[in-house]
Amino acid sequence: MSSSFGTLFRVSTYGESHCKAVGVVIDGCPSGFELTESDIQGQLDRRRPGQSTLSTDRQEDDQVTILSGTENGKTLGTPIALQVANKDQRPQDYGSMKNIPRPSHADYTYTLKYGIRASSGGGRSSARETIGTVASGAVALKILKKKCNIDIIAWVSSVGEIDSTPPDGNIITREMVDTTIVRCPDREAAMKMEQLVGELKEQGDSVGGVISCIIRNVPGGLGEPTFEKMEAKLAQAMLAIPATKGFEIGSGFAGSRLRGSLHNDPFTQKEGRLGTVTNRSGGVQGGISNGEPITLRIAFKPPATISLPQKTVDFSGKDVVLEAKGRHDPCVVPRAVPIVEGMAALVILDMLLRQEARKVLQQSW
Amino acid sequence: MSSSFGTLFRVSTYGESHCKAVGVVIDGCPSGFELTESDIQGQLDRRRPGQSTLSTDRQEDDQVTILSGTENGKTLGTPIALQVANKDQRPQDYGSMKNIPRPSHADYTYTLKYGIRASSGGGRSSARETIGTVASGAVALKILKKKCNIDIIAWVSSVGEIDSTPPDGNIITREMVDTTIVRCPDREAAMKMEQLVGELKEQGDSVGGVISCIIRNVPGGLGEPTFEKMEAKLAQAMLAIPATKGFEIGSGFAGSRLRGSLHNDPFTQKEGRLGTVTNRSGGVQGGISNGEPITLRIAFKPPATISLPQKTVDFSGKDVVLEAKGRHDPCVVPRAVPIVEGMAALVILDMLLRQEARKVLQQSW
Amino acid sequence: MSSSFGTLFRVSTYGESHCKAVGVVIDGCPSGFELTESDIQGQLDRRRPGQSTLSTDRQEDDQVTILSGTENGKTLGTPIALQVANKDQRPQDYGSMKNIPRPSHADYTYTLKYGIRASSGGGRSSARETIGTVASGAVALKILKKKCNIDIIAWVSSVGEIDSTPPDGNIITREMVDTTIVRCPDREAAMKMEQLVGELKEQGDSVGGVISCIIRNVPGGLGEPTFEKMEAKLAQAMLAIPATKGFEIGSGFAGSRLRGSLHNDPFTQKEGRLGTVTNRSGGVQGGISNGEPITLRIAFKPPATISLPQKTVDFSGKDVVLEAKGRHDPCVVPRAVPIVEGMAALVILDMLLRQEARKVLQQSW
Amino acid sequence: MSSSFGTLFRVSTYGESHCKAVGVVIDGCPSGFELTESDIQGQLDRRRPGQSTLSTDRQEDDQVTILSGTENGKTLGTPIALQVANKDQRPQDYGSMKNIPRPSHADYTYTLKYGIRASSGGGRSSARETIGTVASGAVALKILKKKCNIDIIAWVSSVGEIDSTPPDGNIITREMVDTTIVRCPDREAAMKMEQLVGELKEQGDSVGGVISCIIRNVPGGLGEPTFEKMEAKLAQAMLAIPATKGFEIGSGFAGSRLRGSLHNDPFTQKEGRLGTVTNRSGGVQGGISNGEPITLRIAFKPPATISLPQKTVDFSGKDVVLEAKGRHDPCVVPRAVPIVEGMAALVILDMLLRQEARKVLQQSW
């Protein structure tokens, strides 16, 4: 069940790098909703490898097919199976590394866990596994937009030590994010990031980064205390993305350094509801959305697979120097932007459905 | 189901500030295990209010009773119900704030969500709700120690802007942590922290902080990709603790600034297994434990309830100045240490049981 | 998690015969709903032992206490903990049987499963475990009645070989059922049943029976294909009651003997909806309610604990003759009536909440 | 989540009659286990339409493909996706019935539930949905046989009013069952059944039947009280099969008519364990397997779709006479035999994994 996520809008993903297909089954998608492959393909295109000179050369067009759950372009309410074929399989690239677990990679732990290793190494730790999240996340994004006008926009806010000026969260759009290939809306910082990533690619090194995400127009009341608080499920979702090491909501770690008198968000009257003057809470209080934008930051480590020589040991414990072959991203954050958006959408839609279910009975006593 | 957590070792908590009792039911606890109230009381004592001059004056002795699931001091394999009575209930303290949602507190969002408000304000957002986590976590801690010699030790690493020197993670003990009432093992920093918290208490202000946690002797192979990776469930667990705003595993946000060649943890031969020379991964790779210590940092915001006057609005949107009454902690991190340990224990034990179930069939083909 | 049931309205039970208390935590109960102990006590009284000369002499008044989740007589939306103390504990009654597993009882299987045995024998197989179901079921019954005018009425339709004439399902009430102590509304059959049970009690023997149940005014559309079809969850719920051996919905086994042309329920126009002329389907088609009454039959075996001598073996395999001591019911069906009603209510309410959640989004495209 | 089943060995199915493919994803399958399509195809062939003159003329070869989760013929421990293409789609067959809900069919309830109707009528109520159960069940059957020598054998025990002599449960094999096309091992009864079904097919009528199932060599201790007792999960699984109306374990409804002194199964010493002299319990006591064979009976109603004229109303409530077109089975029980076996295997394997997880910790205190 660990490849499933969600309670009422529940997704189950499958597939690794070198099998026939990767995909996802969505259980609990509302019926009567217009849905075709074109609603999904856009986010997959933003995730796929080979889309710019900055990412891996692995070429996959990653065309999605809806296998079930729709008819005449509308959802039936039954499970929606989405699938993407694996075309560009080159397991031979990994042959030389067969006996050497890559440092900081899942090669070793997958072997520990399952007692067997996929030829590609880390099996489901592969970035291809995220296709299911992005595809089902695209469905959730469309529903959230259409039903509640909810926007979920992520962007790259830092690469290595290059920080960027934050955009205006109220107006940032996916189009603005995509104006740079590194997906950082601060063009000046983006240029430096692109240069750095290009250099590291040439050197055979890699670098980490941070993705920021804003979720606008979330109605108040979403989030399920106590173990499924809004921030708890968002944290789980984000830390389930490969290569993530940190999560912040609202003021995050910086907020821990402040006094309450400076950190608290005073209430104020907004159109038809209470709002807050500041938003250090990041849109949640007590695990429940308060109607303000939800703001997140997610830390990604540098990709583990580098072609620079590394002194390590093989599976038998013998000293070796590893020079990894294969096609790898020097920096994952530009391609991880739609993954973050997808994960956020899966969480928000599930929370929305759960709260709506609650409200139906509540209002009627 | 959002008040339940875990798959094979599953806890369900109940209770708010001003009801008759708070508690937890543990489903799936292995049988034949020695368990009495005294195994649990110690961690509850570390959590309870009024244990030092730094925390709230609310007095609760928080004595736990085992209602079911054991006989003659041994677990039966059936659900274990643990209960703590609420003795010191003073709902009247909140009367004057009835019409004013406290800034950055759950008063407002609980009302949005449930359409009703407990007299105490945020209902289950109260710190008393964490008793269930600490009590069931104490059971998990004992099992993990006895079965696998796993140690889970948390401590306060910063309060406000006061940082501390990290202890040696390999040897830190709960006793060392408890040598200072602020639960920071760096005595010099601890003294400053205590002074600051004392001042803020007097001023009616509050401050945030960071808790660090190390989990030693975790066997490799624990964690359930892809949505229940070790770090994903730990992140969910920690962000389910009231007042948390951030989570890091291993190198965290700092790791996002590094290059792969500097960040990767090379493998080396350790006694009977592969280990890593460094531990920027924080004990997990690809969502699965690698046998190295798991290292976490959790950010807590300053408590929302302060007695300094705050300009805000009441539920009707009218401008007011709030001066909160009631007994509140100026800084929650010292009391949150056993909560972090409990949450970590719930995650690790559940993962351990799931992996053991897998291994039984694996080894037998 | 096997002591929990339900998805949105989820109950978790705990407790065995000889511990301090038995109880249940309800997670997901809608807020703002009037609820006090008196709403629950009635069904517990119908379940408790010692209520008539036909049942066990064990005396328990089984007073329920609401520990959390309500304030001023209204639900808060937070977990509701219900508890009943165990007062009349006499583990010594079981002493003489300590080394002999009772035939057809759970003594042996509990030992196999948990490697330990409660002094009372079968631990959670005890009828006291059903208190949690009845108490939480009473809450669900009240919500269903108030929200949708749904009635759930069960009665004893046979005891041993004594069958009864079925009542008119459209008008049968709980009061009509309770006019006889055996809870069979056919007074003539009831008299024979009471006589038989009385005789068997004297002889130290026991007898099985069948409970029928009708669920009226269920809206169409409830039930979650494919693994949680209405009949699938009802079957699970009923077979989770101790001593059950069979389940039927609608035509049941008799329906398997018919031809389609005789079995099909033709549609007809009813007030504001389509209905069916006959109801061999028992209110469900394709796992989903169709608006007609849901009709069930549940088979209970004779209680395993009898005081007549039985030739069997002890735990070591040695031949023995067992003459069980202790207080036991010669026939469980009269007391099982509220358990069946409670289980049905838990299923229907959970299905209702899930369908309402679905409809909210459905209607809005 | 209602299209998923199981806790540790969890299957998620998708697909309806007229979409591109039907399939199932298995999450939690142990790794290192030999698995190829040929292990699965046999049970699918027993389920597929058109295999004999008795069943629907719909022709589907139902070839299964393993899309993920295996490499070099061994399972990786990652999700296993199994898929069968839908080839013979003829939605036009249903055109004339578009406005008329078939009596006792899911046409009407699916419309109520989802507010939309698949062109084929009842969407996931179609028998094609069971492909996922049979395919994943075949994997479970292989694991159970290899790991524990567990046999699960189902057969047709009655068709309409034609009953058969029960086979010797200790020796019955799948090959013996398949000696008759109606899958009844009593050849004399089978001949009558075949004749009846042939006649009804010609008449455009249908008939119900009963499938019996025996599960041999189940270790004691499986089943998870209280809501997931062995019989509770088996009942849920069986009632989730389309067209089922009843379930019995062991003595079933007949057992409810007996006295305890006649019904109880005395214990006796068997090789290395306690066994029972008789098996009215059907292999379970208190919801837990006792080591004796588990015996089940499942009632199937006559298929709802018949071509005989039926007086009913259309969706608008207008009187019509329906003469259904399309290809339909006059009797589903012969093809349902592998579905029953698959469902049973899913339950038993999940219970086995859960108990093994429990035992690992139990034995080590």
Side-chain angles (χ1 to χ4, degrees), chain A residues 254-320:
Chain A
S256 76
R257 305 183 81 78
L258 296 180
R259 301 185 179 194
S261 52
L262 289 172
H263 188 273
N264 279 356
D265 297 315
F267 284 104
T268 184
Q269 182 71 30
K270 296 198 175 173
E271 55 298 351
R273 64 172 181 98
L274 294 195
T276 61
V277 178
T278 49
N279 187 20
R280 292 184 196 94
S281 298
V284 299
Q285 284 158 347
I288 301 168
S289 64
N290 65 357
E292 299 297 319
I294 295 176
T295 57
L296 310 174
R297 292 177 75 243
I298 303 105
F300 288 76
K301 68 169 188 173
T305 308
I306 56 177
S307 47
L308 281 176
Q310 298 179 81
K311 291 177 71 170
T312 183
V313 299
D314 65 14
F315 272 104
S316 72
K318 216 183 60 176
D319 287 345
V320 293

XYZ file of all heavy atoms in Angstrom, chain A residues 254-320:
495
model
N 13.335 29.671 9.847
C 13.563 31.063 10.241
C 12.552 31.488 11.305
O 12.881 32.258 12.220
C 13.466 31.973 9.016
N 11.338 30.964 11.211
C 10.309 31.305 12.191
C 10.648 30.845 13.593
O 10.189 31.431 14.585
N 11.461 29.781 13.680
C 11.814 29.246 15.009
C 12.716 30.210 15.776
O 12.916 30.059 16.973
C 12.502 27.886 14.869
O 13.839 28.058 14.430
N 13.268 31.191 15.081
C 14.189 32.130 15.717
C 13.477 33.380 16.223
O 14.086 34.221 16.890
C 15.300 32.505 14.734
C 16.019 31.269 14.187
C 17.165 31.579 13.265
N 18.403 31.924 13.950
C 19.239 31.062 14.525
N 18.958 29.775 14.509
N 20.340 31.476 15.126
N 12.189 33.491 15.921
C 11.449 34.712 16.268
C 10.690 34.575 17.586
O 10.458 33.481 18.087
C 10.438 35.042 15.152
C 11.021 35.383 13.783
C 9.896 35.681 12.797
C 11.985 36.574 13.878
N 10.283 35.766 18.106
C 9.395 35.810 19.262
C 7.942 35.808 18.781
O 7.656 36.243 17.661
C 9.656 37.084 20.065
C 11.093 37.112 20.526
C 11.405 38.250 21.422
N 12.819 38.121 21.806
C 13.384 38.785 22.787
N 12.672 39.650 23.494
N 14.657 38.609 23.063
N 7.059 35.348 19.628
C 5.650 35.282 19.266
C 5.081 36.632 18.875
O 4.280 36.743 17.935
N 5.513 37.670 19.568
C 4.967 38.999 19.284
C 5.325 39.471 17.880
O 4.634 40.312 17.302
C 5.469 39.997 20.332
O 6.885 39.930 20.423
N 6.399 38.925 17.337
C 6.781 39.283 15.962
C 6.271 38.270 14.946
O 6.131 38.577 13.764
C 8.313 39.343 15.860
C 8.956 40.515 16.577
C 10.473 40.381 16.578
C 8.528 41.821 15.914
N 6.048 37.066 15.395
C 5.716 35.977 14.469
C 4.221 35.869 14.223
O 3.777 35.510 13.119
C 6.247 34.656 15.022
C 6.126 33.486 14.074
N 5.003 32.707 14.006
C 6.975 33.002 13.144
C 5.174 31.772 13.084
N 6.365 31.930 12.545
N 3.430 36.188 15.226
C 1.974 36.017 15.080
C 1.408 36.820 13.912
O 1.851 37.932 13.652
C 1.265 36.442 16.374
C 1.310 35.335 17.428
O 1.789 34.240 17.176
N 0.810 35.648 18.624
N 0.427 36.228 13.256
C -0.260 36.895 12.146
C -1.578 37.468 12.648
O -2.556 36.722 12.818
C -0.562 35.886 11.027
C 0.683 35.276 10.409
O 1.633 36.018 10.122
O 0.684 34.039 10.196
N -1.662 38.787 12.858
C -2.920 39.361 13.348
C -4.035 39.163 12.319
O -3.788 39.148 11.103
C -2.593 40.851 13.500
C -1.113 40.979 13.388
C -0.636 39.802 12.609
N -5.243 39.012 12.821
C -6.389 38.893 11.915
C -6.846 40.263 11.440
O -6.621 41.281 12.106
C -7.550 38.185 12.621
C -7.352 36.708 12.750
C -6.984 36.141 13.971
C -7.527 35.876 11.659
C -6.793 34.772 14.096
C -7.343 34.503 11.781
C -6.966 33.953 13.002
N -7.493 40.263 10.304
C -8.081 41.479 9.761
C -9.289 41.053 8.926
O -9.412 39.889 8.554
C -7.058 42.244 8.898
O -7.653 43.471 8.474
C -6.678 41.453 7.654
N -10.183 42.000 8.701
C -11.359 41.683 7.897
C -10.979 41.707 6.415
O -10.409 42.679 5.938
C -12.462 42.723 8.183
C -13.751 42.484 7.437
C -14.507 41.264 7.988
O -14.418 40.943 9.171
N -15.233 40.575 7.121
N -11.246 40.615 5.700
C -11.077 40.613 4.238
C -12.453 40.394 3.617
O -13.442 40.217 4.313
C -10.077 39.537 3.820
C -8.668 39.805 4.362
C -7.588 39.028 3.641
C -6.201 39.433 4.162
N -5.117 38.598 3.614
N -12.524 40.384 2.299
C -13.852 40.306 1.684
C -14.570 39.015 2.099
O -14.209 37.916 1.671
C -13.811 40.487 0.166
C -12.948 39.636 -0.728
C -11.437 39.704 -0.534
O -10.934 40.578 0.231
O -10.772 38.860 -1.127
N -15.539 39.214 2.978
C -16.420 38.110 3.367
C -15.814 37.084 4.312
O -16.434 36.060 4.588
N -14.629 37.343 4.793
C -14.030 36.379 5.711
C -12.961 37.088 6.538
O -12.560 38.199 6.227
C -13.395 35.223 4.945
C -12.232 35.668 4.058
C -11.480 34.459 3.448
N -10.368 34.900 2.616
C -9.099 34.962 3.005
N -8.759 34.608 4.233
N -8.143 35.386 2.190
N -12.493 36.396 7.583
C -11.315 36.901 8.284
C -10.069 36.479 7.513
O -9.994 35.362 7.010
C -11.244 36.336 9.706
C -12.333 36.750 10.700
C -11.901 36.399 12.124
C -12.663 38.228 10.595
N -9.122 37.381 7.426
C -7.827 37.043 6.838
C -6.746 37.457 7.807
O -7.028 37.883 8.924
N -5.510 37.300 7.391
C -4.427 37.729 8.271
C -3.603 38.805 7.573
O -3.496 38.825 6.339
C -3.508 36.560 8.679
O -2.911 36.008 7.507
C -4.285 35.495 9.416
N -3.035 39.702 8.396
C -2.247 40.814 7.861
C -0.932 40.302 7.290
O -0.517 40.697 6.201
C -1.977 41.837 8.994
C -1.116 42.983 8.483
C -3.293 42.346 9.568
N -0.281 39.442 8.015
C 0.928 38.783 7.525
C 0.618 37.310 7.321
O -0.480 36.857 7.628
C 2.068 38.927 8.565
O 1.545 38.550 9.849
C 2.560 40.367 8.625
N 1.578 36.536 6.813
C 1.303 35.112 6.560
C 2.493 34.250 6.942
O 2.961 33.421 6.170
C 0.896 34.905 5.093
C 0.426 33.469 4.826
O 0.051 32.746 5.748
N 0.467 33.051 3.574
N 3.004 34.472 8.164
C 4.106 33.616 8.618
C 3.612 32.196 8.883
O 4.378 31.244 8.879
C 4.741 34.207 9.884
C 5.463 35.511 9.580
C 6.189 36.095 10.753
N 6.498 37.487 10.435
C 5.728 38.533 10.776
N 4.635 38.349 11.497
N 6.056 39.749 10.389
N 2.315 32.065 9.090
C 1.734 30.733 9.293
C 1.765 29.912 8.007
O 1.614 28.696 8.054
C 0.282 30.857 9.769
O 0.223 31.530 11.013
N 1.911 30.568 6.869
C 1.932 29.826 5.613
C 0.595 29.218 5.267
O 0.515 28.181 4.616
N -0.487 29.873 5.695
C -1.812 29.431 5.266
C -2.447 28.358 6.117
O -3.556 27.906 5.807
N -1.774 27.925 7.189
C -2.362 26.900 8.053
C -2.216 27.290 9.519
O -1.222 27.890 9.926
C -1.703 25.514 7.864
C -1.887 25.017 6.442
C -0.234 25.544 8.228
N -3.215 26.929 10.297
C -3.150 27.102 11.746
C -3.762 25.876 12.399
O -4.898 25.500 12.096
C -3.876 28.393 12.161
C -3.042 29.635 11.841
C -3.835 30.906 11.722
O -5.055 30.893 11.642
N -3.133 32.026 11.685
N -2.995 25.234 13.260
C -3.485 24.008 13.888
C -3.716 22.886 12.896
O -4.527 22.001 13.127
N -3.009 22.948 11.764
C -3.125 21.867 10.791
C -4.257 22.048 9.805
O -4.523 21.163 8.982
N -4.912 23.207 9.856
C -6.099 23.469 9.035
C -5.869 24.759 8.251
O -5.381 25.747 8.804
C -7.336 23.619 9.945
C -7.545 22.352 10.781
C -8.579 23.949 9.130
C -8.566 22.511 11.908
N -6.249 24.757 6.973
C -6.065 25.948 6.149
C -6.915 27.095 6.682
O -8.026 26.889 7.180
C -6.444 25.653 4.701
O -7.818 25.336 4.605
N -6.364 28.324 6.590
C -7.096 29.487 7.107
C -7.574 30.430 6.000
O -8.080 31.509 6.287
C -6.240 30.248 8.131
C -4.994 30.869 7.509
O -4.741 30.683 6.318
N -4.227 31.585 8.302
N -7.401 30.029 4.747
C -7.855 30.855 3.644
C -6.762 31.697 3.012
O -6.947 32.233 1.907
N -5.639 31.822 3.690
C -4.495 32.535 3.113
C -3.694 31.564 2.230
O -3.841 30.346 2.355
C -3.595 33.071 4.243
C -4.274 34.060 5.184
C -4.712 35.338 4.477
O -3.952 35.854 3.629
O -5.837 35.814 4.757
N -2.843 32.087 1.355
C -2.050 31.188 0.512
C -1.168 30.259 1.348
O -0.602 30.675 2.361
C -1.180 32.145 -0.313
C -1.917 33.445 -0.322
C -2.628 33.512 1.012
N -1.085 29.019 0.911
C -0.172 28.060 1.548
C 1.177 28.182 0.852
O 1.253 28.123 -0.375
C -0.729 26.632 1.431
C -2.035 26.521 2.240
C 0.290 25.605 1.913
C -2.741 25.186 2.123
N 2.221 28.392 1.652
C 3.548 28.600 1.072
C 4.523 27.549 1.585
O 4.615 27.306 2.783
C 4.089 29.999 1.428
O 4.115 30.135 2.857
C 3.205 31.086 0.851
N 5.247 26.931 0.638
C 6.138 25.818 0.965
C 7.523 26.039 0.372
O 7.667 26.728 -0.640
C 5.584 24.514 0.352
C 4.129 24.168 0.592
C 3.759 22.928 -0.215
C 3.893 23.931 2.074
N 8.502 25.419 0.989
C 9.854 25.337 0.423
C 10.352 23.911 0.609
O 10.203 23.338 1.676
C 10.819 26.310 1.109
C 10.496 27.778 0.813
C 11.428 28.734 1.562
N 12.741 28.781 0.975
C 13.879 28.406 1.585
N 13.846 27.966 2.826
N 15.047 28.464 0.957
N 10.938 23.367 -0.447
C 11.399 21.985 -0.407
C 12.858 21.935 -0.850
O 13.201 22.440 -1.920
C 10.546 21.088 -1.333
C 9.071 21.185 -0.918
C 11.017 19.638 -1.273
C 8.246 22.024 -1.847
N 13.695 21.305 -0.015
C 15.127 21.207 -0.314
C 15.435 19.912 -1.053
O 15.015 18.837 -0.627
C 15.933 21.256 0.979
N 16.163 20.037 -2.161
C 16.626 18.869 -2.932
C 18.144 18.775 -2.832
O 18.843 19.754 -3.056
C 16.236 19.013 -4.409
C 14.768 18.846 -4.667
C 13.868 19.865 -4.361
C 14.278 17.673 -5.219
C 12.504 19.709 -4.588
C 12.918 17.509 -5.459
C 12.029 18.531 -5.143
N 18.634 17.602 -2.543
C 20.086 17.397 -2.503
C 20.624 17.314 -3.930
O 19.858 17.126 -4.881
C 20.404 16.106 -1.737
C 19.953 14.842 -2.452
C 20.515 13.580 -1.787
C 20.191 12.372 -2.650
N 20.824 11.138 -2.175
N 21.929 17.433 -4.100
C 22.501 17.219 -5.431
C 22.304 15.765 -5.844
O 22.429 14.865 -5.005
C 23.980 17.545 -5.241
C 24.238 17.510 -3.771
C 22.945 17.823 -3.095
N 21.990 15.511 -7.129
C 21.836 14.128 -7.587
C 23.063 13.292 -7.234
O 24.204 13.763 -7.331
C 21.688 14.271 -9.103
C 21.091 15.631 -9.290
C 21.702 16.471 -8.202
N 22.808 12.052 -6.819
C 23.893 11.188 -6.346
C 24.775 10.682 -7.485
O 25.963 10.455 -7.305
C 23.298 10.007 -5.577
N 24.170 10.506 -8.644
C 24.951 9.931 -9.739
C 25.755 11.017 -10.438
O 25.197 11.904 -11.079
C 24.025 9.233 -10.750
O 23.186 8.332 -10.040
C 24.837 8.465 -11.768
N 27.063 10.958 -10.276
C 27.972 11.903 -10.926
C 29.026 11.091 -11.651
O 29.259 9.918 -11.321
C 28.648 12.849 -9.897
C 29.378 12.038 -8.818
C 27.605 13.765 -9.246
C 30.134 12.896 -7.810
N 29.642 11.686 -12.657
C 30.663 10.902 -13.369
C 32.074 11.217 -12.883
O 33.025 10.551 -13.292
C 30.539 11.076 -14.884
O 30.401 12.417 -15.236
N 32.223 12.175 -12.015
C 33.524 12.384 -11.372
C 33.915 11.116 -10.603
O 33.052 10.442 -10.053
C 33.437 13.553 -10.374
C 33.480 14.964 -10.957
C 33.273 15.995 -9.847
C 34.822 15.221 -11.653
N 35.190 10.801 -10.564
C 35.612 9.591 -9.839
C 35.349 9.710 -8.342
O 35.554 10.775 -7.752
C 37.122 9.501 -10.116
C 37.523 10.814 -10.676
C 36.308 11.475 -11.236
N 34.825 8.624 -7.754
C 34.547 8.612 -6.316
C 35.211 7.408 -5.664
O 35.034 6.288 -6.127
C 33.033 8.526 -6.065
C 32.245 9.700 -6.610
C 30.744 9.544 -6.337
O 30.275 9.826 -5.254
N 30.020 9.066 -7.330
N 35.918 7.645 -4.582
C 36.514 6.541 -3.825
C 35.443 5.934 -2.918
O 34.872 6.629 -2.073
C 37.684 7.040 -2.981
C 38.888 7.460 -3.826
C 40.014 8.031 -2.975
C 40.697 6.930 -2.159
N 41.955 7.455 -1.511
N 35.168 4.677 -3.109
C 34.114 4.017 -2.336
C 34.441 2.527 -2.269
O 35.599 2.154 -2.520
C 32.729 4.297 -2.974
O 31.710 3.717 -2.167
C 32.633 3.781 -4.394
N 33.486 1.697 -1.896
C 33.720 0.248 -1.921
C 32.625 -0.428 -2.734
O 31.549 0.144 -2.930
C 33.758 -0.366 -0.491
C 34.884 0.250 0.335
C 32.421 -0.210 0.215
N 32.917 -1.643 -3.226
C 31.876 -2.375 -3.957
C 31.031 -3.169 -2.961
O 31.227 -3.079 -1.755
C 32.485 -3.255 -5.047
C 33.361 -4.361 -4.487
O 33.303 -4.631 -3.264
O 34.118 -4.959 -5.271
N 30.062 -3.938 -3.478
C 29.146 -4.656 -2.582
C 29.887 -5.609 -1.645
O 29.421 -5.893 -0.539
C 28.090 -5.432 -3.385
C 26.873 -4.617 -3.718
C 26.665 -4.109 -4.994
C 25.917 -4.339 -2.741
C 25.541 -3.348 -5.294
C 24.787 -3.578 -3.032
C 24.607 -3.073 -4.316
N 31.051 -6.072 -2.082
C 31.795 -7.008 -1.227
C 32.677 -6.273 -0.226
O 33.360 -6.903 0.579
C 32.653 -7.934 -2.097
O 33.737 -7.196 -2.629
N 32.698 -4.935 -0.306
C 33.480 -4.168 0.664
C 34.876 -3.814 0.181
O 35.660 -3.207 0.901
N 35.208 -4.176 -1.064
C 36.538 -3.920 -1.614
C 36.643 -2.481 -2.110
O 35.729 -1.969 -2.742
C 36.793 -4.884 -2.776
C 38.229 -5.368 -2.897
C 38.417 -6.263 -4.126
C 38.067 -5.511 -5.397
N 38.296 -6.248 -6.639
N 37.775 -1.823 -1.830
C 37.982 -0.450 -2.285
C 37.948 -0.361 -3.802
O 38.557 -1.179 -4.497
C 39.352 0.061 -1.800
C 39.343 0.351 -0.306
O 38.240 0.437 0.268
O 40.434 0.485 0.281
N 37.222 0.605 -4.290
C 37.170 0.850 -5.741
C 37.067 2.356 -5.980
O 36.757 3.126 -5.071
C 35.939 0.188 -6.398
C 36.027 -1.332 -6.358
C 34.659 0.676 -5.742
